[in-house]
Amino acid sequence: MLDVTVCILSFNRAAYLREALASVLAQTKAPQDIAIFDNGSQGEVLEAVKGYLEKGVRWVGSEVTMSAIWNFKRAVADTKSKYVLVMHDDDRLCRDFLEKQIEFLEENHSVVAVACNVYLIDENGNRSGLTLRGNPAEAEAELYKCSAHVALKYAGDSCIPFSSVVYRTHSVRETDFREEFGKVCDAVFFCDMADKGTIAFQSKALYECRVHS
């Protein structure tokens, strides 16, 4: 079992959430903890995942709907594991995602967070044949050792795929998610984190990211 908590941010997408949960439970190496952080969904979402809760998945609900960043922050604050993944409820993990991402962090102690390439899937969960960046089979990793490196990546019309990132829990807790930056707050967040330690990007695709029409 891996010393990682998988947090799934949920809001009114019951069918997709079930797919996300199934992908987490199918990992080649199981996480220590799986938790759904629901942001005030309608009751049908809880009903849809009750079978998973009976298997040890935790449900952390909310009486009201807050911002996605608020939900991210409470997921990180709740985590007791060495590592944490905060994924979206409409995405899926490839079967070796956790094994490969945690292995990378264990071998590279200066890295505080690692992202990976992603397969793009449609609303029905079918792969489009495209990945976010380059060859999905490549083994090389990109390293961003300071905020300037991150800023240059985003300025070059590219990004670090946010929902695929596994963090060292202590590092992500020490980094403030500055909501006032709006649509670029994820880039600012990674810039701030890169000044605390290296952020890595694995070129191999280990994650499936849903693209909506």
Side-chain angles (χ1 to χ4, degrees):
M1 185 172 289
L2 298 171
D3 192 2
V4 59
T5 295
V6 176
C7 304
I8 307 176
L9 304 185
S10 163
F11 184 64
N12 283 335
R13 298 192 284 202
Y16 291 158
L17 176 59
R18 287 175 60 87
E19 288 185 33
L21 282 165
S23 76
V24 176
L25 290 169
Q27 291 296 291
T28 53
K29 291 190 177 180
Q32 184 179 78
D33 186 25
I34 305 168
I36 300 166
F37 287 83
D38 187 79
N39 200 355
S41 294
Q42 298 173 359
E44 64 188 37
V45 176
L46 178 57
E47 286 296 319
V49 298
K50 277 190 173 178
Y52 291 99
L53 304 186
E54 294 168 0
K55 297 177 182 179
V57 174
R58 292 190 295 123
W59 174 272
V60 184
S62 174
E63 293 298 320
V64 295
T65 300
M66 303 290 284
S67 71
I69 292 176
W70 170 85
N71 208 19
F72 177 95
K73 287 180 176 179
R74 72 172 182 147
V76 169
D78 179 84
T79 299
K80 296 178 176 61
S81 306
K82 182 178 180 180
Y83 304 110
V84 58
L85 165 70
V86 185
M87 66 180 290
H88 296 163
D89 58 357
D90 60 338
D91 294 342
R92 300 185 306 217
L93 307 182
C94 299
R95 289 196 71 244
D96 57 348
F97 173 88
L98 290 176
E99 180 178 359
K100 296 298 185 185
Q101 293 288 74
I102 299 300
E103 181 181 279
F104 187 92
L105 286 166
E106 292 283 283
E107 293 176 352
N108 297 274
H109 298 289
S110 64
V111 174
V112 296
V114 57
C116 68
N117 202 355
V118 304
Y119 294 105
L120 303 181
I121 59 175
D122 63 20
E123 290 172 323
N124 296 318
N126 301 312
R127 290 186 185 179
S128 67
L130 301 174
T131 57
L132 184 67
R133 284 207 263 144
N135 186 340
E138 290 177 358
E140 294 82 4
E142 300 173 4
L143 301 178
Y144 305 95
K145 297 184 178 182
C146 65
S147 57
H149 291 168
V150 175
L152 285 171
K153 172 58 65 175
Y154 279 82
D157 197 28
S158 188
C159 69
I160 299 169
F162 181 74
S163 60
S164 73
V165 179
V166 179
Y167 304 91
R168 294 188 191 275
T169 302
H170 70 86
S171 296
V172 69
R173 281 183 179 156
E174 292 169 359
T175 307
D176 185 27
F177 211 135
R178 297 191 276 172
E179 197 163 358
E180 65 269 23
F181 283 93
K183 291 183 179 180
V184 298
C185 63
D186 58 335
V188 174
F189 177 74
F190 285 139
C191 284
D192 291 343
M193 177 162 275
D195 283 334
K196 300 178 183 295
T198 300
I199 295 176
F201 170 85
Q202 294 216 70
S203 298
K204 183 177 180 181
L206 301 166
Y207 190 91
E208 294 181 321
C209 183
R210 199 176 306 260
V211 178
H212 298 273
S213 58

